[in-house]
Amino acid sequence: MQNRTILHLDMNAFFAAVEQRTNPHLKGKPVLVCGNPKGRTVIISPSYEARAFGVKTGMNLWEAKKLCKNSILVECNPANYVEVANHLQKLFIQFTPLVEIFSIDECFLDVSGCQRLFGSGRDIALKIKKRVREELDITCSVGIGPNKLLAKLGSHLKKPDGLVIIEPEKIQQVLENLPIQELCGIGPRITEKLNKLGVYTCGQLARYPVEILQRMYGIVGLHLHDIAWGVDDSPVMPYDYVEPAKSVGHSFTLPKDTFDREVAKKYLLQLSEQVARRLRKGNYKGKTVHLIIRIPDFTTLGQQVTIRKFLDEGVEIYHTAVKILDKFNVEAIGVRLLGVSVSNLICGSSQLSLMPEENRRQCLIYAMDKINDKYGEFSVTWGRLVSGFKQNNIISPAWRPHKNIRFGYN
Ligand SMILES: [Mg+2]
């Protein structure tokens, strides 16, 4: 782990930048990328022109419109962002196979082993920035440091189009007066708690007794102490590394709150189908089903049930989820969001059943999967779902390229 050179690349206002690239008339204008503008949505990505007015990611449409009257709303086009992300990844792995996708517009590169070929970390960063600008017409901020923590901090310090190098001998100087929440891994809750103890900067956190941190947070306390000193030994994982799934889930905010159990069940069936599809794609089966219900006042309720059999079929997951739903009085509490996930997973057991009826069903699902793989999700589905329930596909922050479709080939 000695003397590593890590780059963190962060695309600037990624979704908005891709929209401006695709539709040149949007260039130089305040663009707000959002979900379905007719539904309940928030700003997913404001362009830098809109950020100048104070618009931030996560704001409501009306809030953003109030700050920036001339802003242009654009509905997000996830397929375009994935295409650009794939292009970026192809570009990065020309420098090193150690490219870890952190989110759709951020990744880490470990260039420790390729500097003889391509020059210093700074040279590589400049080459990549140039190619990203020329090939994709977007900009990125790059941070360079001896580990992922400091590389990420570097790219965060100068936006847009920045290049910040944190040399090992400058680490303490950079961290001394840095507010703790600027470090990746310190969220609002930990920040609030530490602030109450009089700890505001990384310097203060570094000097805070590690025993107390450990008592408060257990192993996380030790981690907090380490990162306050700029220490982070975590490796950059190669781009084709796939972490074994612990659970597979989907959630969906209903277009409007419902107090009708049957409506909730219909969404539940669709979510169960989506979860089942993802389980089968990864060759997983699971036997614990979780149901999450967020009610209109944003309280989140949930329960899980573990059954005997391992499942990967939507209808089976659905029936288990409905059993949980039945414990809640939907008519009284209302539903704003539903989430279904399956955990307790095993991988690689796609054995055909010996029971003729079950076997027939497995063949049917296999055929449906093939059709949906080829023609898009929900091209064929169960009768109960055929009534305009197709939902907008929104990219989650946990987006990762799918192994089989990454470059359009296996
Ligand atoms: Mg970004």
Side-chain angles (χ1 to χ4, degrees):
M1 288 292 170
Q2 286 299 303
N3 302 325
R4 292 186 299 161
T5 304
I6 312 291
L7 270 56
H8 179 256
L9 297 111
D10 182 4
M11 302 303 125
N12 302 128
F14 183 56
F15 294 174
V18 174
E19 292 302 337
Q20 287 175 320
R21 162 185 185 256
T22 320
N23 309 293
H25 68 277
L26 297 175
K27 278 204 173 155
K29 296 190 181 145
V31 173
L32 307 176
V33 176
C34 58
N36 178 359
K38 291 188 199 94
R40 287 193 289 193
T41 178
V42 292
I43 306 300
I44 300 170
S45 170
S47 70
Y48 272 88
E49 294 81 1
R51 284 170 205 234
F53 289 88
V55 180
K56 293 197 174 82
T57 302
M59 270 185 180
N60 285 317
L61 291 192
W62 61 267
E63 243 178 315
K65 272 283 178 192
K66 209 165 85 183
L67 288 170
C68 183
K69 289 189 184 61
N70 299 325
S71 54
I72 305 164
L73 281 184
V74 179
E75 189 174 345
C76 71
N77 296 292
N80 285 355
Y81 315 144
V82 171
E83 194 186 307
V84 176
N86 285 342
H87 185 121
L88 286 168
Q89 197 189 341
K90 267 199 259 185
L91 192 164
F92 300 152
I93 61 173
Q94 290 172 22
F95 291 87
T96 168
L98 294 177
V99 174
E100 181 178 326
I101 312 290
F102 191 69
S103 73
I104 188 161
D105 73 327
E106 283 179 56
C107 65
F108 292 100
L109 269 65
D110 185 337
V111 297
S112 315
C114 62
Q115 300 190 32
R116 272 215 207 150
L117 266 175
F118 300 114
S120 68
R122 186 173 183 276
D123 293 339
I124 295 173
L126 289 172
K127 279 181 190 146
I128 289 179
K129 280 168 80 77
K130 184 164 176 275
R131 286 192 56 187
V132 170
R133 202 179 319 115
E134 286 173 1
E135 292 173 27
L136 291 162
D137 198 13
I138 59 178
T139 62
C140 59
S141 288
V142 184
I144 305 178
N147 58 40
K148 283 158 74 175
L149 176 82
L150 295 166
K152 183 152 167 71
L153 175 66
S155 70
H156 177 73
L157 290 178
K158 192 160 182 283
K159 285 178 182 177
D161 207 11
L163 172 56
V164 173
I165 305 173
I166 301 183
E167 308 277 5
E169 54 277 10
K170 293 270 174 64
I171 296 174
Q172 284 201 27
Q173 194 185 324
V174 174
L175 293 179
E176 181 57 36
N177 294 315
L178 186 82
I180 47 173
Q181 63 269 31
E182 304 275 311
L183 278 188
C184 181
I186 303 195
R189 277 173 63 186
I190 293 182
T191 303
E192 200 190 317
K193 211 163 163 190
L194 289 174
N195 284 171
K196 279 190 188 140
L197 300 172
V199 175
Y200 293 91
T201 66
C202 294
Q204 290 167 334
L205 181 58
R207 289 184 290 275
Y208 200 78
V210 62
E211 303 78 32
I212 302 182
L213 292 175
Q214 195 180 359
R215 219 175 301 143
M216 283 165 63
Y217 294 106
I219 198 156
V220 175
L222 300 178
H223 177 69
L224 289 174
H225 178 79
D226 278 351
I227 62 177
W229 284 96
V231 173
D232 170 24
D233 288 336
S234 62
V236 173
M237 301 308 286
Y239 70 99
D240 51 1
Y241 174 79
V242 181
E243 204 172 328
K246 291 196 184 76
S247 76
V248 171
H250 266 293
S251 65
F252 181 61
T253 302
L254 277 48
K256 72 179 209 285
D257 299 340
T258 186
F259 292 80
D260 185 333
R261 177 177 301 271
E262 289 309 309
V263 172
K265 277 166 72 176
K266 197 152 187 177
Y267 284 109
L268 217 49
L269 180 58
Q270 180 174 349
L271 284 167
S272 304
E273 276 299 322
Q274 285 176 293
V275 171
R277 275 276 286 159
R278 274 185 43 209
L279 283 170
R280 292 194 297 267
K281 268 189 183 168
N283 203 9
Y284 288 111
K285 288 180 180 216
K287 59 177 186 175
T288 301
V289 176
H290 311 244
L291 175 71
I292 289 207
I293 305 173
R294 186 166 296 152
I295 64 177
D297 75 354
F298 283 89
T299 307
T300 306
L301 311 164
Q303 264 190 32
Q304 63 183 59
V305 166
T306 300
I307 55 166
R308 282 220 185 130
K309 198 181 150 198
F310 283 95
L311 309 175
D312 68 352
E313 274 189 36
V315 177
E316 294 176 318
I317 295 169
Y318 166 74
H319 286 310
T320 314
V322 166
K323 272 187 204 144
I324 306 174
L325 184 76
D326 284 344
K327 297 181 185 169
F328 296 94
N329 189 351
V330 173
E331 290 77 7
I333 57 176
V335 177
R336 177 188 163 84
L337 168 145
L338 283 169
V340 176
S341 66
V342 173
S343 62
N344 232 328
L345 303 180
I346 49 163
C347 189
S349 74
S350 51
Q351 214 177 36
L352 273 180
S353 168
L354 292 174
M355 310 285 284
E357 187 50 37
E358 229 174 273
N359 192 328
R360 211 177 69 88
R361 202 178 157 74
Q362 285 176 347
C363 291
L364 172 67
I365 288 169
Y366 177 81
M368 284 171 72
D369 280 347
K370 282 273 166 213
I371 295 171
N372 289 329
D373 283 342
K374 191 162 179 188
Y375 297 104
E377 294 300 322
F378 291 103
S379 295
V380 282
T381 187
W382 309 100
R384 263 199 87 176
L385 281 175
V386 186
S387 58
F389 257 88
K390 278 189 187 176
Q391 68 190 50
N392 201 4
N393 220 357
I394 292 185
I395 288 187
S396 85
W399 177 89
R400 293 290 180 279
H402 191 279
K403 212 176 168 194
N404 296 326
I405 57 166
R406 178 171 290 138
F407 301 142
Y409 57 83
N410 273 342

